[in-house]
Amino acid sequence: MSKITFTPISYTGWNSLSYLLEEVTRLQAKKILVVTDPTLIEIGLTTKAIQPLVEANYDVELYSEVSAEPSLALAEKLVAFTRQHEFDMIIGIGGGSALDLSKIAGVLAFHEGLVEDYLNLTGTKKINNKGIPTILIPTTSGTGSEVTNIAVLALEKTKDVVTHDYLLADVAIIDPSLTISLPPKITAATGIDALTHAIEAYISKNASPVSDALAIQAIRLISQSIRIAVADGSNQEARTKMSYGSYLAGLAFFNAGVAGVHALAYPIGGQFHVAHGESNAVLLPYVMGYIRQSCEKRMKDIYEMMGFNTAYLSQEEASYCCVNELQKIVKDVNIPSTLQGFNIPKQALTSLTKAALDQKRILARSPMTLMEEDIYTIYHSAYNGIITENKKSFL
């Protein structure tokens, strides 16, 4: 038996942004805070997105103190700012950072205490107030933040989350046309992030027939379009497939959860400020290679979803092919394939391992139990660029 949760309303497809004014009107907003990436303001995308609201005489204020891998301090500042004003709606426009900060502000501005009081690993306070309506509009195809109840923040040595169903957006608008201006590097990182969401949801211990259906289609769409989207960002078909794939992957991992790749990626982002998508990308083949024995059948499925004929392959053979293809995708979209490629020193592997062990909520979903020795081995493999397989029993 599984609980399945979705954002109340989602608009998807080319030019679906046109529904924004209709939804703002329906939700009876008057004073709106728009949280957005500063780069999007510079290129005019944010202005274009909110122009219908301005023309309709809504009171709109822009907030652009947003950065990649947002820190706890950044979230505290935004929540304090939101508390000082009487906003009755927040619209998040941008990548996962802008969307996550929007969710936190929309809820925690109407709670007592600091954001750190509500962190998953160390917080002591509970969320009990829905806050104000939020509309989330992604401009990348990767994080899935627009359809999840999770907001991720960077701490000193790792990452932590604020999570509650009240963080779910009231409306998500997934418009592929907003991703056209996305640079190749960010297209690659966010795209592999979305692919990781789908893969980890599919192999998760919490997977269900519903999450499987979402993950399967997400893997198909992303794996067969990411190379084109990175090489030619103006390709509308590839951008559309990436947007739908990211959206479906977000729904899949929201309901089934992510696992080992994310648990090991969080400390890399926290300690070395590597973009989340790149942290996932560099680890994906090594984690999947290490746990291969525990999910051979599902990895055969994944390999087939990526467009390959598996009719004459055993589960074992296909699972090895799957790992090889994941390595190839990461290489083809020009993301470094080792930790050394991100200038992470070998002596950091111990601190990374300790921090990853704290991600118990995420590690619990892995089809293979990952202990301290296993985690260190995976990091060591990713450092050296050599896939290492767990030869021990995974039962």
Side-chain angles (χ1 to χ4, degrees):
M1 184 170 64
S2 302
K3 174 188 175 184
I4 304 297
T5 307
F6 297 104
T7 295
I9 297 176
S10 294
Y11 293 95
T12 62
W14 208 263
N15 294 326
S16 55
L17 182 63
S18 60
Y19 288 99
L20 177 59
L21 178 58
E22 177 183 323
E23 285 301 319
V24 169
T25 302
R26 180 182 68 83
L27 293 168
Q28 300 181 328
K30 295 178 181 178
K31 187 174 183 180
I32 304 167
L33 177 64
V34 175
V35 179
T36 188
D37 298 320
T39 302
L40 300 182
I41 295 178
E42 292 175 12
I43 66 175
L45 192 151
T46 300
T47 301
K48 176 184 175 183
I50 66 172
Q51 189 62 33
L53 306 182
V54 175
E55 292 175 353
N57 296 316
Y58 282 97
D59 184 355
V60 179
E61 182 163 352
L62 293 182
Y63 186 98
S64 61
E65 292 191 50
V66 174
S67 66
E69 313 303 313
S71 66
L72 177 61
L74 207 60
E76 299 282 12
K77 188 172 183 179
L78 174 56
V79 168
F81 177 83
T82 307
R83 285 172 177 167
Q84 292 167 6
H85 301 79
E86 295 182 354
F87 297 111
D88 53 18
M89 173 179 283
I90 292 182
I91 298 175
I93 303 175
S97 299
L99 305 189
D100 282 1
L101 289 171
S102 298
K103 292 192 285 189
I104 288 174
V107 173
L108 294 190
F110 298 85
H111 287 73
E112 295 181 349
L114 300 171
V115 176
E116 67 177 329
D117 296 328
Y118 298 89
L119 291 174
N120 177 68
L121 296 178
T122 58
T124 58
K125 292 184 180 294
K126 302 296 182 183
I127 292 174
N128 52 33
N129 186 339
K130 188 180 186 301
I132 56 176
T134 56
I135 297 178
L136 300 182
I137 306 170
T139 59
T140 68
S141 299
T143 70
S145 179
E146 69 276 6
V147 290
T148 72
N149 68 355
I150 302 167
V152 184
L153 296 172
L155 307 182
E156 184 178 347
K157 293 185 177 181
T158 187
K159 291 186 177 183
D160 202 352
V161 301
V162 178
T163 178
H164 193 281
D165 279 354
Y166 284 159
L167 268 70
L168 277 171
D170 294 88
V171 179
I173 299 176
I174 299 90
D175 186 338
S177 71
L178 301 178
T179 68
I180 287 291
S181 61
L182 202 63
K185 182 178 180 180
I186 301 177
T187 299
T190 55
I192 296 290
D193 189 19
L195 182 60
T196 305
H197 291 156
I199 289 173
E200 291 212 286
Y202 191 65
I203 65 169
S204 168
K205 283 185 175 180
N206 294 343
S208 71
V210 175
S211 65
D212 284 351
L214 296 165
I216 285 169
Q217 184 66 351
I219 293 168
R220 285 196 184 110
L221 289 169
I222 297 167
S223 65
Q224 297 179 36
S225 60
I226 187 170
R227 293 177 175 94
I228 299 172
V230 171
D232 179 12
S234 64
N235 187 301
Q236 292 190 15
E237 181 180 3
R239 289 295 194 187
T240 299
K241 287 181 178 180
M242 289 298 295
S243 284
Y244 276 113
S246 172
Y247 171 69
L248 294 171
L251 291 173
F253 93 81
F254 175 40
N255 285 286
V258 289
V261 178
H262 276 72
L264 273 66
Y266 279 172
I268 292 175
Q271 295 182 30
F272 295 96
H273 308 292
V274 175
H276 177 62
E278 292 182 327
S279 298
N280 278 331
V282 71
L283 290 169
L284 179 60
Y286 301 101
V287 173
M288 295 303 294
Y290 190 81
I291 69 171
R292 186 195 59 77
Q293 290 184 82
S294 67
C295 50
E296 281 185 351
K297 170 62 171 65
R298 295 237 149 187
M299 288 182 70
K300 182 178 182 180
D301 295 341
I302 292 167
Y303 188 57
E304 183 174 342
M305 292 171 218
M306 290 193 292
F308 296 94
N309 183 1
T310 64
Y312 302 102
L313 297 175
S314 67
Q315 290 181 12
E316 181 182 29
E317 290 168 337
S319 66
Y320 279 119
C321 290
C322 180
V323 174
N324 291 336
E325 177 62 13
L326 293 176
Q327 280 188 302
K328 192 172 187 300
I329 290 175
V330 172
K331 179 182 179 181
D332 288 349
V333 297
N334 301 312
I335 295 177
S337 59
T338 69
L339 297 183
Q340 293 183 67
F342 291 100
N343 297 315
I344 295 174
K346 188 173 184 179
Q347 58 265 32
L349 301 188
T350 299
S351 65
L352 290 172
T353 300
K354 296 293 185 184
L357 275 172
D358 289 335
Q359 300 293 336
K360 296 179 176 60
R361 175 182 65 91
I362 302 176
L363 288 170
R365 304 181 191 120
S366 173
M368 176 183 289
T369 300
L370 296 176
M371 308 301 289
E372 183 172 358
E373 178 184 353
D374 302 306
I375 293 170
Y376 183 87
T377 299
I378 294 170
Y379 277 134
H380 192 268
S381 298
Y383 179 83
N384 289 319
I386 301 173
I387 300 291
T388 302
E389 183 175 347
N390 184 1
K391 296 296 186 181
K392 302 176 184 176
S393 170
F394 58 87
L395 299 177

